[in-house]
Amino acid sequence: ELPTIKLELYKMFEKCQLSQVYGRKLADIVWGNIYKMELDMPIPAAFAAQVMAKKYAFEVTHSALQIHGGYGLTKEFLIEKLFRDGREVMIEDYTPDVLSLAAMEEFLRRY
């Protein structure tokens, strides 16, 4: 195992953890607001979590594909499907740029 691959795997791990923690924290806030019957939801933060998760999903699958090299493009390896899914997520349910603009519009409207 090369140190550069270990470093890349750590970066991938870090991005997955950050997305997971941010998403869960935001879910806790939303469910807490629902439980308290508060209607003020953190919409810009929700968009930010979605944008971050989409970007990191693509970056992580891209890095995994790079590690696998040409073999990663064959259907014999799971990474081929994960890479396609990571790329697809950048398109479905609005692109990160569209979500970012919507988040900023909502942020500016509220504050």
Side-chain angles (χ1 to χ4, degrees):
E1 298 166 17
L2 299 171
T4 53
I5 292 177
K6 286 182 182 177
L7 182 60
E8 193 60 35
L9 288 171
Y10 172 77
K11 290 176 184 176
M12 293 162 62
F13 169 77
E14 187 178 70
K15 289 175 182 178
C16 290
Q17 291 297 305
L18 287 170
S19 291
Q20 188 177 44
V21 167
Y22 189 27
R24 285 185 176 169
K25 181 63 178 171
L26 187 63
D28 288 345
I29 291 169
V30 168
W31 281 109
N33 287 356
I34 290 171
Y35 180 73
K36 293 182 230 172
M37 303 297 272
E38 293 178 10
L39 298 177
D40 188 34
M41 295 295 169
I43 294 170
F47 282 136
Q50 188 176 7
V51 167
M52 186 176 83
K54 284 176 178 254
K55 287 181 179 179
Y56 281 175
F58 178 70
E59 290 173 14
V60 167
T61 55
H62 182 266
S63 294
L65 183 68
Q66 290 295 108
I67 289 170
H68 280 79
Y71 291 114
L73 294 172
T74 64
K75 293 199 183 254
E76 297 170 16
F77 289 90
L78 178 61
I79 187 57
E80 182 268 339
K81 181 182 182 331
L82 295 175
F83 181 72
R84 276 188 294 122
D85 291 348
R87 183 63 185 108
E88 177 189 3
V89 102
M90 296 287 283
I91 300 167
E92 69 182 9
D93 296 331
Y94 304 106
T95 65
D97 290 341
V98 170
L99 289 171
S100 298
L101 289 172
M104 193 46 46
E105 285 176 16
E106 180 66 21
F107 180 81
L108 292 173
R109 187 182 69 74
R110 288 173 176 238
Y111 305 103

